[in-house]
Amino acid sequence: ENALVRAAGNIVCESGIKGGGNGRLKSNGNVKAPFCENIIIEADGNIELDGSCMHSTLHAEGSIMVKGRLQGGEACARRVIFAQNQLGGHSTPTKIILGFSPRRLRHKRKLEKRLDTLLPTLERLERIIEKKPELAEDFSLQIRLLQRKIKVRNAQLRQLQAELAAEAATAAGCRLICPGKIESGTEIVIGEATCQVTDFAHGREFKLENGEIVAKKLT
Protein backbone atom coordinates (compact mmCIF):
# COMPACT_ATOMS: atom_id res chain seq x y z
CA GLU A 1 0.00 0.00 0.00
CA ASN A 2 1.88 3.12 1.14
CA ALA A 3 5.17 1.23 1.49
CA LEU A 4 8.50 1.96 -0.19
CA VAL A 5 10.14 -1.20 -1.56
CA ARG A 6 13.73 -1.06 -2.85
CA ALA A 7 15.53 -3.89 -4.61
CA ALA A 8 19.13 -4.15 -5.84
CA GLY A 9 17.90 -6.60 -8.48
CA ASN A 10 14.51 -7.55 -9.96
CA ILE A 11 11.09 -7.27 -8.30
CA VAL A 12 8.62 -10.04 -9.13
CA CYS A 13 5.16 -9.86 -7.58
CA GLU A 14 2.95 -12.92 -7.94
CA SER A 15 -0.18 -10.98 -6.99
CA GLY A 16 -1.16 -7.48 -8.02
CA ILE A 17 0.25 -4.25 -6.63
CA LYS A 18 -2.00 -1.65 -4.97
CA GLY A 19 -0.06 1.41 -3.94
CA GLY A 20 -2.67 3.35 -1.99
CA GLY A 21 -1.65 6.54 -3.78
CA ASN A 22 1.80 6.87 -2.18
CA GLY A 23 3.37 3.44 -2.59
CA ARG A 24 6.64 3.16 -4.50
CA LEU A 25 8.71 0.34 -5.97
CA LYS A 26 12.34 1.06 -6.92
CA SER A 27 14.28 -1.65 -8.71
CA ASN A 28 17.82 -1.72 -10.07
CA GLY A 29 16.60 -4.41 -12.46
CA ASN A 30 13.21 -5.32 -13.93
CA VAL A 31 9.72 -5.26 -12.39
CA LYS A 32 7.10 -7.88 -13.25
CA ALA A 33 3.57 -8.17 -11.82
CA PRO A 34 0.02 -9.19 -12.83
CA PHE A 35 -1.35 -5.63 -12.48
CA CYS A 36 -0.87 -2.36 -10.60
CA GLU A 37 -3.04 0.45 -9.24
CA ASN A 38 -2.14 3.83 -7.70
CA ILE A 39 1.58 3.05 -7.45
CA ILE A 40 4.88 4.56 -8.55
CA ILE A 41 7.24 2.04 -10.15
CA GLU A 42 10.80 2.99 -11.06
CA ALA A 43 12.96 0.39 -12.80
CA ASP A 44 16.48 0.57 -14.19
CA GLY A 45 15.44 -2.19 -16.58
CA ASN A 46 11.98 -3.05 -17.97
CA ILE A 47 8.47 -3.08 -16.50
CA GLU A 48 6.10 -5.88 -17.50
CA LEU A 49 2.46 -6.17 -16.37
CA ASP A 50 0.34 -9.16 -17.37
CA GLY A 51 -2.84 -7.20 -16.72
CA SER A 52 -3.71 -3.52 -16.42
CA CYS A 53 -2.02 -0.42 -15.06
CA MET A 54 -4.49 2.00 -13.49
CA HIS A 55 -3.71 5.54 -12.26
CA SER A 56 -0.03 4.81 -11.76
CA THR A 57 3.38 6.20 -12.64
CA LEU A 58 5.65 3.82 -14.55
CA HIS A 59 9.26 4.88 -15.16
CA ALA A 60 11.57 2.43 -16.96
CA GLU A 61 15.09 3.05 -18.23
CA GLY A 62 14.33 0.23 -20.69
CA SER A 63 10.82 -0.52 -22.01
CA ILE A 64 7.29 -0.93 -20.64
CA MET A 65 4.83 -3.70 -21.56
CA VAL A 66 1.23 -3.63 -20.32
CA LYS A 67 -0.86 -6.53 -21.59
CA GLY A 68 -4.14 -5.09 -20.32
CA ARG A 69 -5.16 -1.42 -20.02
CA LEU A 70 -2.73 1.45 -19.53
CA GLN A 71 -5.08 4.05 -18.12
CA GLY A 72 -4.38 7.13 -16.05
CA GLY A 73 -1.09 8.49 -14.75
CA GLU A 74 2.23 8.63 -16.57
CA ALA A 75 4.36 6.06 -18.37
CA CYS A 76 7.91 7.01 -19.31
CA ALA A 77 10.47 4.76 -21.02
CA ARG A 78 13.68 5.12 -23.01
CA ARG A 79 12.73 2.85 -25.93
CA VAL A 80 9.30 1.18 -26.29
CA ILE A 81 5.92 1.34 -24.54
CA PHE A 82 3.40 -1.39 -25.41
CA ALA A 83 -0.25 -1.19 -24.31
CA GLN A 84 -2.14 -4.19 -25.61
CA ASN A 85 -5.83 -3.78 -24.78
CA GLN A 86 -6.37 -0.07 -24.18
CA LEU A 87 -4.49 3.20 -23.86
CA GLY A 88 -6.01 6.08 -21.92
CA GLY A 89 -9.57 6.80 -20.88
CA HIS A 90 -12.16 9.53 -21.58
CA SER A 91 -12.03 11.13 -18.13
CA THR A 92 -8.62 9.84 -17.07
CA PRO A 93 -5.59 11.94 -18.08
CA THR A 94 -2.88 9.64 -19.39
CA LYS A 95 0.60 10.80 -20.41
CA ILE A 96 3.15 8.81 -22.41
CA ILE A 97 6.80 9.94 -22.59
CA LEU A 98 9.38 8.23 -24.79
CA GLY A 99 13.02 8.87 -25.60
CA PHE A 100 14.22 10.22 -22.26
CA SER A 101 15.82 8.74 -19.18
CA PRO A 102 13.09 8.81 -16.49
CA ARG A 103 15.82 9.27 -13.89
CA ARG A 104 17.00 12.47 -15.57
CA LEU A 105 13.43 13.72 -15.95
CA ARG A 106 12.77 13.16 -12.25
CA HIS A 107 15.96 15.00 -11.35
CA LYS A 108 14.99 17.90 -13.62
CA ARG A 109 11.55 18.16 -12.01
CA LYS A 110 13.10 18.16 -8.52
CA LEU A 111 15.50 20.95 -9.47
CA GLU A 112 12.69 23.02 -11.00
CA LYS A 113 10.54 22.48 -7.91
CA ARG A 114 13.40 23.52 -5.65
CA LEU A 115 14.06 26.65 -7.73
CA ASP A 116 10.36 27.49 -7.53
CA THR A 117 10.88 27.67 -3.75
CA LEU A 118 14.27 29.39 -3.64
CA LEU A 119 13.57 32.18 -6.13
CA PRO A 120 10.46 33.60 -4.39
CA THR A 121 12.29 33.45 -1.03
CA LEU A 122 15.19 35.48 -2.46
CA GLU A 123 12.80 37.97 -4.06
CA ARG A 124 10.94 38.38 -0.76
CA LEU A 125 14.14 39.17 1.14
CA GLU A 126 15.26 41.62 -1.54
CA ARG A 127 11.90 43.43 -1.30
CA ILE A 128 12.29 43.69 2.47
CA ILE A 129 15.77 45.22 2.11
CA GLU A 130 14.52 47.60 -0.57
CA LYS A 131 11.91 48.92 1.85
CA LYS A 132 14.17 48.76 4.93
CA PRO A 133 17.84 49.17 3.91
CA GLU A 134 18.89 49.05 7.56
CA LEU A 135 18.12 45.29 7.54
CA ALA A 136 20.57 44.56 4.71
CA GLU A 137 23.31 43.35 7.04
CA ASP A 138 20.92 41.09 8.96
CA PHE A 139 19.85 39.30 5.79
CA SER A 140 23.16 39.41 3.89
CA LEU A 141 24.31 35.89 4.83
CA GLN A 142 20.93 34.34 4.06
CA ILE A 143 20.80 36.12 0.69
CA ARG A 144 24.32 34.95 -0.25
CA LEU A 145 23.44 31.36 0.61
CA LEU A 146 20.25 31.55 -1.46
CA GLN A 147 22.11 33.06 -4.41
CA ARG A 148 24.74 30.31 -4.21
CA LYS A 149 22.09 27.57 -4.09
CA ILE A 150 20.23 29.10 -7.05
CA LYS A 151 23.45 29.37 -9.06
CA VAL A 152 24.37 25.72 -8.40
CA ARG A 153 20.91 24.43 -9.22
CA ASN A 154 20.69 26.51 -12.40
CA ALA A 155 24.01 25.03 -13.51
CA GLN A 156 22.75 21.52 -12.74
CA LEU A 157 19.54 22.25 -14.62
CA ARG A 158 21.42 23.48 -17.70
CA GLN A 159 23.54 20.33 -17.68
CA LEU A 160 20.44 18.12 -17.41
CA GLN A 161 18.69 20.02 -20.20
CA ALA A 162 21.71 19.46 -22.44
CA GLU A 163 21.72 15.74 -21.64
CA LEU A 164 17.96 15.48 -22.29
CA ALA A 165 18.35 17.36 -25.58
CA ALA A 166 20.99 14.81 -26.64
CA GLU A 167 18.59 11.98 -25.77
CA ALA A 168 15.78 13.65 -27.71
CA ALA A 169 18.01 13.67 -30.80
CA THR A 170 18.01 9.86 -30.78
CA ALA A 171 14.27 9.43 -30.12
CA ALA A 172 13.49 8.43 -33.72
CA GLY A 173 13.90 4.79 -32.75
CA CYS A 174 11.23 4.96 -30.01
CA ARG A 175 7.81 3.35 -30.42
CA LEU A 176 4.41 3.46 -28.72
CA ILE A 177 2.53 0.35 -29.82
CA CYS A 178 -1.20 -0.07 -29.11
CA PRO A 179 -2.91 -3.07 -30.77
CA GLY A 180 -6.17 -2.35 -28.91
CA LYS A 181 -8.24 0.80 -28.53
CA ILE A 182 -6.79 4.25 -27.96
CA GLU A 183 -9.00 6.72 -26.13
CA SER A 184 -9.05 10.46 -26.78
CA GLY A 185 -7.32 12.72 -24.28
CA THR A 186 -4.07 10.80 -24.16
CA GLU A 187 -0.96 12.98 -24.36
CA ILE A 188 2.05 11.53 -26.18
CA VAL A 189 5.59 12.92 -26.00
CA ILE A 190 8.39 11.45 -28.11
CA GLY A 191 11.62 13.41 -27.88
CA GLU A 192 10.83 17.08 -28.48
CA ALA A 193 7.50 16.34 -30.21
CA THR A 194 4.11 16.31 -28.50
CA CYS A 195 0.62 15.37 -29.64
CA GLN A 196 -2.82 14.89 -28.12
CA VAL A 197 -5.09 12.04 -29.14
CA THR A 198 -8.36 13.76 -30.07
CA ASP A 199 -10.34 10.89 -31.62
CA PHE A 200 -10.89 7.27 -30.73
CA ALA A 201 -8.57 4.96 -32.65
CA HIS A 202 -7.72 1.28 -32.76
CA GLY A 203 -4.50 -0.56 -33.53
CA ARG A 204 -1.86 2.16 -33.94
CA GLU A 205 1.88 2.58 -33.72
CA PHE A 206 3.14 6.04 -32.80
CA LYS A 207 6.64 7.13 -33.80
CA LEU A 208 8.67 10.12 -34.98
CA GLU A 209 8.88 11.11 -38.63
CA ASN A 210 10.56 14.38 -39.65
CA GLY A 211 10.36 15.62 -36.07
CA GLU A 212 6.61 15.00 -35.72
CA ILE A 213 4.62 12.19 -34.12
CA VAL A 214 2.74 10.08 -36.64
CA ALA A 215 0.23 7.29 -36.02
CA LYS A 216 0.35 4.32 -38.36
CA LYS A 217 -2.19 1.55 -38.49
CA LEU A 218 -0.93 -1.80 -37.30
CA THR A 219 -1.22 -4.53 -39.92
Side-chain angles (χ1 to χ4, degrees):
E1 294 188 355
N2 288 325
L4 167 62
V5 178
R6 297 176 184 266
N10 300 327
I11 295 176
V12 179
C13 182
E14 294 184 356
S15 297
I17 305 169
K18 292 188 176 182
N22 294 311
R24 182 184 297 260
L25 299 183
K26 301 183 75 170
S27 166
N28 287 354
N30 303 317
V31 175
K32 181 176 172 60
F35 70 90
C36 70
E37 294 178 9
N38 296 300
I39 185 78
I40 298 170
I41 300 177
E42 299 168 4
D44 286 349
N46 304 316
I47 297 173
E48 182 179 345
L49 300 173
D50 293 329
S52 296
C53 170
M54 305 294 290
H55 315 294
S56 297
T57 297
L58 305 182
H59 282 183
E61 295 294 327
S63 297
I64 295 172
M65 175 180 286
V66 179
K67 297 178 183 178
R69 288 184 290 165
L70 175 51
Q71 183 174 346
E74 177 180 281
C76 177
R78 289 289 298 270
R79 293 189 290 273
V80 175
I81 294 179
F82 178 89
Q84 183 165 324
N85 289 349
Q86 180 178 322
L87 175 65
H90 289 299
S91 58
T92 311
T94 306
K95 187 171 185 176
I96 304 295
I97 303 173
L98 278 161
F100 298 105
S101 163
R103 189 184 300 109
R104 284 196 177 103
L105 283 178
R106 289 195 300 273
H107 192 190
K108 178 175 177 284
R109 289 170 181 175
K110 286 179 182 176
L111 285 172
E112 290 172 338
K113 186 175 181 180
R114 185 60 179 143
L115 282 168
D116 285 343
T117 302
L118 292 172
L119 288 168
T121 303
L122 178 61
E123 290 169 359
R124 179 176 59 82
L125 293 178
E126 289 174 338
R127 285 196 300 270
I128 291 173
I129 292 173
E130 186 179 349
K131 293 178 180 178
K132 297 181 178 180
E134 67 272 15
L135 296 176
E137 187 175 348
D138 295 336
F139 288 117
S140 61
L141 177 59
Q142 189 176 353
I143 287 175
R144 286 200 302 272
L145 288 173
L146 282 168
Q147 290 172 335
R148 188 179 304 166
K149 288 179 180 180
I150 290 168
K151 183 179 179 180
V152 169
R153 281 162 178 77
N154 274 325
Q156 292 172 333
L157 187 58
R158 286 193 297 271
Q159 177 63 31
L160 270 175
Q161 287 170 334
E163 292 169 355
L164 289 168
E167 290 180 350
T170 63
C174 297
R175 297 288 185 274
L176 169 61
I177 303 169
C178 309
K181 58 184 179 178
I182 303 146
E183 298 285 356
S184 61
T186 301
E187 182 182 358
I188 301 170
V189 177
I190 305 178
E192 299 292 346
T194 303
C195 76
Q196 192 89 10
V197 178
T198 56
D199 295 313
F200 173 83
H202 192 281
R204 296 288 189 275
E205 177 188 59
F206 297 84
K207 60 181 181 178
L208 276 182
E209 283 190 4
N210 299 319
E212 295 185 354
I213 298 173
V214 298
K216 296 198 171 182
K217 193 168 185 178
L218 291 173
T219 56

